[in-house]
Amino acid sequence: MKKVFLSAVTALLLFSCQNDSTESGDSNVSAIAHRGCATQEVLEAQLKADPTLAIRMNEIEAFTNNALLTKRLVNGKVEIPVVVNVLYRTTAQNISNAQIQSQIDVLNKDFNALNSDYGNVPALFSGVKANVGITFVLDQVIRKSTTKTSWGTNDAMKKTAQGGIAPTSPTTKLNLWSCAIGGGILGYAQFPGGPSATDGVVIDSRYFGLSGSANAPFNLGRTGTHEVGHWMNLRHIWGDATCGSDLVSDTPTHNEENYGVPAYPHYSTCSGTPVEMTMNYMDYTDDNAMYMFSNGQKSRMAAIFVTGGPRAAFGI
């Protein structure tokens, strides 16, 4: 079982700064074989730019652990209004309202255990599979034409001065950006604790919602589910390190990320050689191979919405 509590020193090490993420000059029009999520890299860049972010995130970890220990979770249903910001250069990038709604529908299914593949969860994990119980409602769609071929991961798409669209009411609404990211990145999110001016989730337009067979194997909206999981304070299931920790007690320790559609059971070589939860939304598998959150992840997400939590304005 993974240790949930982190000391301040350990947390600061976890949030150490390593790399900058910059705009890619590659339009990235070729097919992507493996899932690429830049959330951790973006976090490291933000930490380098603002050392106080590590302190705020450590405080969020302490609050989260206290909420888990005292069972003070969400008192009722959390319904999240969603603003979708569409930045497009081509007709294909100007995704339809129907495609946008399909992403909202996927989020509602995946976060409420209504996805058709929820029943595929192996018996080994049936006792920890979770109905998170958070719903999403489309609030507004904002569109803007651009000449940029790719936006990169430096949050330019969120800044009006750089040709992007500033977030709408980010403390009470989840902002999604649909655009051409480039560099082999499907999407990225900002963890709780970051600046409100850049808060939200970015998804490449080719992988936004039910985007069609041409964008397989990432055409079932699970990039959105994965990235919204980050926005709700979930880490990658392998902890972004060999045999790392995702700060959740009921997910097995993974060697590293998994790609494609792994055969079950897939054993870890980490301590105890557990069967890896490759079907978890926070791994890197194909869209049709991920279909569950765990109860521990549910509790971690719920903790951010209680009074005093970093996203309390969304809570009840």
Side-chain angles (χ1 to χ4, degrees):
M1 301 294 279
K2 302 192 190 92
K3 293 181 179 178
V4 176
F5 181 75
L6 286 180
S7 67
V9 173
T10 305
L12 289 170
L13 289 174
L14 176 65
F15 302 140
S16 63
C17 312
Q18 296 178 9
N19 299 310
D20 287 307
S21 295
T22 57
E23 179 183 332
S24 169
D26 177 14
S27 61
N28 195 34
V29 295
S30 60
I32 295 175
H34 287 162
R35 185 177 300 279
C37 165
T39 298
Q40 187 66 24
E41 289 78 5
V42 170
L43 172 61
E44 290 166 354
Q46 289 181 333
L47 286 161
K48 186 173 182 179
D50 178 13
T52 65
L53 176 58
I55 298 173
R56 294 197 300 276
M57 293 189 74
N58 188 49
E59 291 172 345
I60 289 171
E61 284 304 317
F63 180 90
T64 299
N65 288 326
N66 183 64
L68 295 176
L69 290 171
T70 59
K71 308 296 183 184
R72 291 179 62 245
L73 302 178
V74 176
N75 296 317
K77 195 84 169 180
V78 175
E79 183 177 271
I80 297 179
V82 181
V83 177
V84 177
N85 304 290
V86 180
L87 291 158
Y88 64 95
R89 184 178 63 87
T90 67
T91 301
Q93 292 170 359
N94 190 17
I95 59 176
S96 68
N97 286 341
Q99 186 174 334
I100 290 170
Q101 185 60 52
S102 75
Q103 181 64 79
I104 303 300
D105 293 343
V106 169
L107 292 175
N108 279 318
K109 290 178 180 179
D110 290 351
F111 279 82
N112 290 277
L114 296 173
N115 48 303
S116 60
D117 44 7
Y118 185 70
N120 296 341
V121 175
L124 178 64
F125 302 128
S126 62
V128 299
K129 65 180 183 179
N131 175 354
V132 176
I134 293 175
T135 59
F136 303 82
V137 177
L138 181 60
D139 180 81
Q140 186 179 6
V141 178
I142 301 171
R143 300 177 184 273
K144 185 175 183 179
S145 178
T146 179
T147 59
K148 293 175 75 72
T149 57
S150 61
W151 288 86
T153 56
N154 63 357
D155 288 335
M157 73 288 293
K158 307 173 184 178
K159 301 172 182 176
T160 305
Q162 297 186 37
I165 302 172
T168 300
S169 305
T171 58
T172 56
K173 297 179 182 181
L174 165 59
N175 278 255
L176 305 182
W177 283 265
S178 170
C179 62
I181 300 176
I185 300 299
L186 276 68
Y188 72 93
Q190 180 170 290
F191 286 110
S196 61
T198 53
D199 196 38
V201 168
V202 183
I203 305 170
D204 191 285
S205 56
R206 290 171 296 166
Y207 312 112
F208 197 106
L210 304 181
S211 59
S213 59
N215 300 302
F218 308 116
N219 60 337
L220 302 180
R222 263 58 192 272
T223 295
T225 302
H226 177 101
E227 299 304 342
V228 171
H230 283 313
W231 183 81
M232 293 186 186
N233 209 26
L234 295 188
R235 301 305 175 108
H236 287 136
I237 198 165
W238 69 99
D240 290 285
T242 303
C243 298
S245 173
D246 62 353
L247 312 180
V248 176
S249 62
D250 63 3
T251 55
T253 303
H254 284 219
N255 288 85
E256 56 188 2
E257 65 270 38
N258 291 291
Y259 295 108
V261 183
Y264 180 84
H266 179 74
Y267 287 91
S268 169
T269 61
C270 303
S271 178
T273 62
V275 176
E276 294 187 350
M277 193 183 284
T278 61
M279 66 293 305
N280 192 282
Y281 292 121
M282 303 315 293
D283 206 338
Y284 264 10
T285 53
D286 292 350
D287 276 19
N288 65 348
M290 52 170 60
Y291 37 84
M292 71 168 288
F293 289 115
S294 75
N295 283 320
Q297 289 173 319
K298 173 183 177 178
S299 295
R300 185 171 172 83
M301 286 186 275
I304 69 173
F305 295 106
V306 300
T307 301
R311 300 204 187 282
F314 290 89
I316 295 175

PDB file of all heavy atoms in Angstrom, residues 27-45:
ATOM      1  N   SER A  27       3.574  21.429 -36.361  1.00  0.00           N
ATOM      2  CA  SER A  27       2.117  21.405 -36.387  1.00  0.00           C
ATOM      3  C   SER A  27       1.573  20.046 -35.992  1.00  0.00           C
ATOM      4  O   SER A  27       0.401  19.896 -35.703  1.00  0.00           O
ATOM      5  CB  SER A  27       1.609  21.784 -37.779  1.00  0.00           C
ATOM      6  OG  SER A  27       2.088  20.851 -38.737  1.00  0.00           O
ATOM      7  N   ASN A  28       2.443  19.016 -36.002  1.00  0.00           N
ATOM      8  CA  ASN A  28       2.096  17.702 -35.467  1.00  0.00           C
ATOM      9  C   ASN A  28       0.862  17.121 -36.141  1.00  0.00           C
ATOM     10  O   ASN A  28      -0.081  16.702 -35.493  1.00  0.00           O
ATOM     11  CB  ASN A  28       1.874  17.808 -33.957  1.00  0.00           C
ATOM     12  CG  ASN A  28       1.880  16.442 -33.295  1.00  0.00           C
ATOM     13  OD1 ASN A  28       2.599  15.551 -33.720  1.00  0.00           O
ATOM     14  ND2 ASN A  28       1.070  16.294 -32.266  1.00  0.00           N
ATOM     15  N   VAL A  29       0.863  17.116 -37.466  1.00  0.00           N
ATOM     16  CA  VAL A  29      -0.306  16.642 -38.191  1.00  0.00           C
ATOM     17  C   VAL A  29      -0.309  15.133 -38.348  1.00  0.00           C
ATOM     18  O   VAL A  29      -1.320  14.545 -38.686  1.00  0.00           O
ATOM     19  CB  VAL A  29      -0.398  17.305 -39.591  1.00  0.00           C
ATOM     20  CG1 VAL A  29      -0.615  18.782 -39.441  1.00  0.00           C
ATOM     21  CG2 VAL A  29       0.863  17.028 -40.410  1.00  0.00           C
ATOM     22  N   SER A  30       0.809  14.465 -38.108  1.00  0.00           N
ATOM     23  CA  SER A  30       0.859  13.017 -38.239  1.00  0.00           C
ATOM     24  C   SER A  30       0.204  12.350 -37.043  1.00  0.00           C
ATOM     25  O   SER A  30       0.030  12.947 -35.991  1.00  0.00           O
ATOM     26  CB  SER A  30       2.306  12.541 -38.375  1.00  0.00           C
ATOM     27  OG  SER A  30       3.053  12.913 -37.240  1.00  0.00           O
ATOM     28  N   ALA A  31      -0.156  11.081 -37.217  1.00  0.00           N
ATOM     29  CA  ALA A  31      -0.815  10.341 -36.145  1.00  0.00           C
ATOM     30  C   ALA A  31       0.119  10.158 -34.961  1.00  0.00           C
ATOM     31  O   ALA A  31       1.332  10.017 -35.111  1.00  0.00           O
ATOM     32  CB  ALA A  31      -1.280   8.988 -36.669  1.00  0.00           C
ATOM     33  N   ILE A  32      -0.455  10.164 -33.766  1.00  0.00           N
ATOM     34  CA  ILE A  32       0.311   9.961 -32.534  1.00  0.00           C
ATOM     35  C   ILE A  32       0.091   8.538 -32.065  1.00  0.00           C
ATOM     36  O   ILE A  32      -1.038   8.100 -31.887  1.00  0.00           O
ATOM     37  CB  ILE A  32      -0.123  10.967 -31.451  1.00  0.00           C
ATOM     38  CG1 ILE A  32       0.224  12.392 -31.892  1.00  0.00           C
ATOM     39  CG2 ILE A  32       0.527  10.644 -30.118  1.00  0.00           C
ATOM     40  CD1 ILE A  32      -0.262  13.459 -30.947  1.00  0.00           C
ATOM     41  N   ALA A  33       1.182   7.802 -31.858  1.00  0.00           N
ATOM     42  CA  ALA A  33       1.074   6.389 -31.488  1.00  0.00           C
ATOM     43  C   ALA A  33       0.875   6.207 -29.994  1.00  0.00           C
ATOM     44  O   ALA A  33       0.203   5.278 -29.567  1.00  0.00           O
ATOM     45  CB  ALA A  33       2.326   5.643 -31.943  1.00  0.00           C
ATOM     46  N   HIS A  34       1.504   7.070 -29.181  1.00  0.00           N
ATOM     47  CA  HIS A  34       1.432   6.936 -27.731  1.00  0.00           C
ATOM     48  C   HIS A  34       0.835   8.190 -27.112  1.00  0.00           C
ATOM     49  O   HIS A  34       1.032   9.297 -27.614  1.00  0.00           O
ATOM     50  CB  HIS A  34       2.831   6.701 -27.146  1.00  0.00           C
ATOM     51  CG  HIS A  34       3.366   5.332 -27.409  1.00  0.00           C
ATOM     52  ND1 HIS A  34       4.711   5.027 -27.293  1.00  0.00           N
ATOM     53  CD2 HIS A  34       2.765   4.193 -27.781  1.00  0.00           C
ATOM     54  CE1 HIS A  34       4.905   3.744 -27.578  1.00  0.00           C
ATOM     55  NE2 HIS A  34       3.719   3.226 -27.881  1.00  0.00           N
ATOM     56  N   ARG A  35       0.122   8.007 -26.007  1.00  0.00           N
ATOM     57  CA  ARG A  35      -0.461   9.144 -25.290  1.00  0.00           C
ATOM     58  C   ARG A  35       0.641  10.037 -24.756  1.00  0.00           C
ATOM     59  O   ARG A  35       1.625   9.584 -24.177  1.00  0.00           O
ATOM     60  CB  ARG A  35      -1.327   8.640 -24.139  1.00  0.00           C
ATOM     61  CG  ARG A  35      -2.074   9.742 -23.404  1.00  0.00           C
ATOM     62  CD  ARG A  35      -2.980   9.170 -22.317  1.00  0.00           C
ATOM     63  NE  ARG A  35      -3.978   8.271 -22.880  1.00  0.00           N
ATOM     64  CZ  ARG A  35      -5.104   8.669 -23.461  1.00  0.00           C
ATOM     65  NH1 ARG A  35      -5.373   9.961 -23.575  1.00  0.00           N
ATOM     66  NH2 ARG A  35      -5.967   7.780 -23.934  1.00  0.00           N
ATOM     67  N   GLY A  36       0.477  11.344 -24.942  1.00  0.00           N
ATOM     68  CA  GLY A  36       1.409  12.320 -24.398  1.00  0.00           C
ATOM     69  C   GLY A  36       0.661  13.354 -23.587  1.00  0.00           C
ATOM     70  O   GLY A  36      -0.182  14.072 -24.120  1.00  0.00           O
ATOM     71  N   CYS A  37       0.919  13.414 -22.285  1.00  0.00           N
ATOM     72  CA  CYS A  37       0.281  14.373 -21.387  1.00  0.00           C
ATOM     73  C   CYS A  37       1.389  15.247 -20.796  1.00  0.00           C
ATOM     74  O   CYS A  37       2.341  14.731 -20.214  1.00  0.00           O
ATOM     75  CB  CYS A  37      -0.475  13.640 -20.281  1.00  0.00           C
ATOM     76  SG  CYS A  37      -0.933  14.674 -18.881  1.00  0.00           S
ATOM     77  N   ALA A  38       1.268  16.560 -20.946  1.00  0.00           N
ATOM     78  CA  ALA A  38       2.331  17.462 -20.502  1.00  0.00           C
ATOM     79  C   ALA A  38       2.055  18.089 -19.145  1.00  0.00           C
ATOM     80  O   ALA A  38       2.726  19.042 -18.759  1.00  0.00           O
ATOM     81  CB  ALA A  38       2.531  18.566 -21.542  1.00  0.00           C
ATOM     82  N   THR A  39       1.107  17.558 -18.393  1.00  0.00           N
ATOM     83  CA  THR A  39       0.726  18.175 -17.116  1.00  0.00           C
ATOM     84  C   THR A  39       1.915  18.294 -16.163  1.00  0.00           C
ATOM     85  O   THR A  39       2.139  19.342 -15.547  1.00  0.00           O
ATOM     86  CB  THR A  39      -0.404  17.371 -16.456  1.00  0.00           C
ATOM     87  OG1 THR A  39      -1.559  17.407 -17.317  1.00  0.00           O
ATOM     88  CG2 THR A  39      -0.766  17.948 -15.099  1.00  0.00           C
ATOM     89  N   GLN A  40       2.692  17.217 -16.002  1.00  0.00           N
ATOM     90  CA  GLN A  40       3.808  17.253 -15.068  1.00  0.00           C
ATOM     91  C   GLN A  40       4.882  18.237 -15.525  1.00  0.00           C
ATOM     92  O   GLN A  40       5.434  18.983 -14.705  1.00  0.00           O
ATOM     93  CB  GLN A  40       4.409  15.853 -14.913  1.00  0.00           C
ATOM     94  CG  GLN A  40       5.480  15.750 -13.831  1.00  0.00           C
ATOM     95  CD  GLN A  40       4.945  15.967 -12.422  1.00  0.00           C
ATOM     96  OE1 GLN A  40       3.759  15.776 -12.159  1.00  0.00           O
ATOM     97  NE2 GLN A  40       5.808  16.363 -11.501  1.00  0.00           N
ATOM     98  N   GLU A  41       5.153  18.289 -16.822  1.00  0.00           N
ATOM     99  CA  GLU A  41       6.148  19.219 -17.343  1.00  0.00           C
ATOM    100  C   GLU A  41       5.710  20.665 -17.152  1.00  0.00           C
ATOM    101  O   GLU A  41       6.515  21.545 -16.810  1.00  0.00           O
ATOM    102  CB  GLU A  41       6.416  18.935 -18.822  1.00  0.00           C
ATOM    103  CG  GLU A  41       7.176  17.648 -19.094  1.00  0.00           C
ATOM    104  CD  GLU A  41       6.299  16.401 -19.005  1.00  0.00           C
ATOM    105  OE1 GLU A  41       5.065  16.536 -18.819  1.00  0.00           O
ATOM    106  OE2 GLU A  41       6.858  15.295 -19.127  1.00  0.00           O
ATOM    107  N   VAL A  42       4.414  20.921 -17.360  1.00  0.00           N
ATOM    108  CA  VAL A  42       3.892  22.271 -17.148  1.00  0.00           C
ATOM    109  C   VAL A  42       3.993  22.657 -15.681  1.00  0.00           C
ATOM    110  O   VAL A  42       4.360  23.785 -15.336  1.00  0.00           O
ATOM    111  CB  VAL A  42       2.435  22.372 -17.652  1.00  0.00           C
ATOM    112  CG1 VAL A  42       1.796  23.681 -17.214  1.00  0.00           C
ATOM    113  CG2 VAL A  42       2.397  22.255 -19.174  1.00  0.00           C
ATOM    114  N   LEU A  43       3.693  21.709 -14.782  1.00  0.00           N
ATOM    115  CA  LEU A  43       3.839  21.972 -13.350  1.00  0.00           C
ATOM    116  C   LEU A  43       5.272  22.351 -13.004  1.00  0.00           C
ATOM    117  O   LEU A  43       5.523  23.314 -12.269  1.00  0.00           O
ATOM    118  CB  LEU A  43       3.416  20.740 -12.538  1.00  0.00           C
ATOM    119  CG  LEU A  43       3.701  20.790 -11.030  1.00  0.00           C
ATOM    120  CD1 LEU A  43       2.970  21.944 -10.374  1.00  0.00           C
ATOM    121  CD2 LEU A  43       3.337  19.469 -10.376  1.00  0.00           C
ATOM    122  N   GLU A  44       6.225  21.610 -13.538  1.00  0.00           N
ATOM    123  CA  GLU A  44       7.636  21.893 -13.242  1.00  0.00           C
ATOM    124  C   GLU A  44       8.033  23.280 -13.729  1.00  0.00           C
ATOM    125  O   GLU A  44       8.780  24.007 -13.055  1.00  0.00           O
ATOM    126  CB  GLU A  44       8.507  20.807 -13.863  1.00  0.00           C
ATOM    127  CG  GLU A  44       8.359  19.455 -13.150  1.00  0.00           C
ATOM    128  CD  GLU A  44       8.941  18.302 -13.925  1.00  0.00           C
ATOM    129  OE1 GLU A  44       9.377  18.498 -15.072  1.00  0.00           O
ATOM    130  OE2 GLU A  44       8.952  17.180 -13.382  1.00  0.00           O
ATOM    131  N   ALA A  45       7.512  23.695 -14.899  1.00  0.00           N
ATOM    132  CA  ALA A  45       7.800  25.030 -15.413  1.00  0.00           C
ATOM    133  C   ALA A  45       7.186  26.098 -14.517  1.00  0.00           C
ATOM    134  O   ALA A  45       7.802  27.142 -14.247  1.00  0.00           O
ATOM    135  CB  ALA A  45       7.286  25.161 -16.842  1.00  0.00           C
TER     136      ALA A  45
END
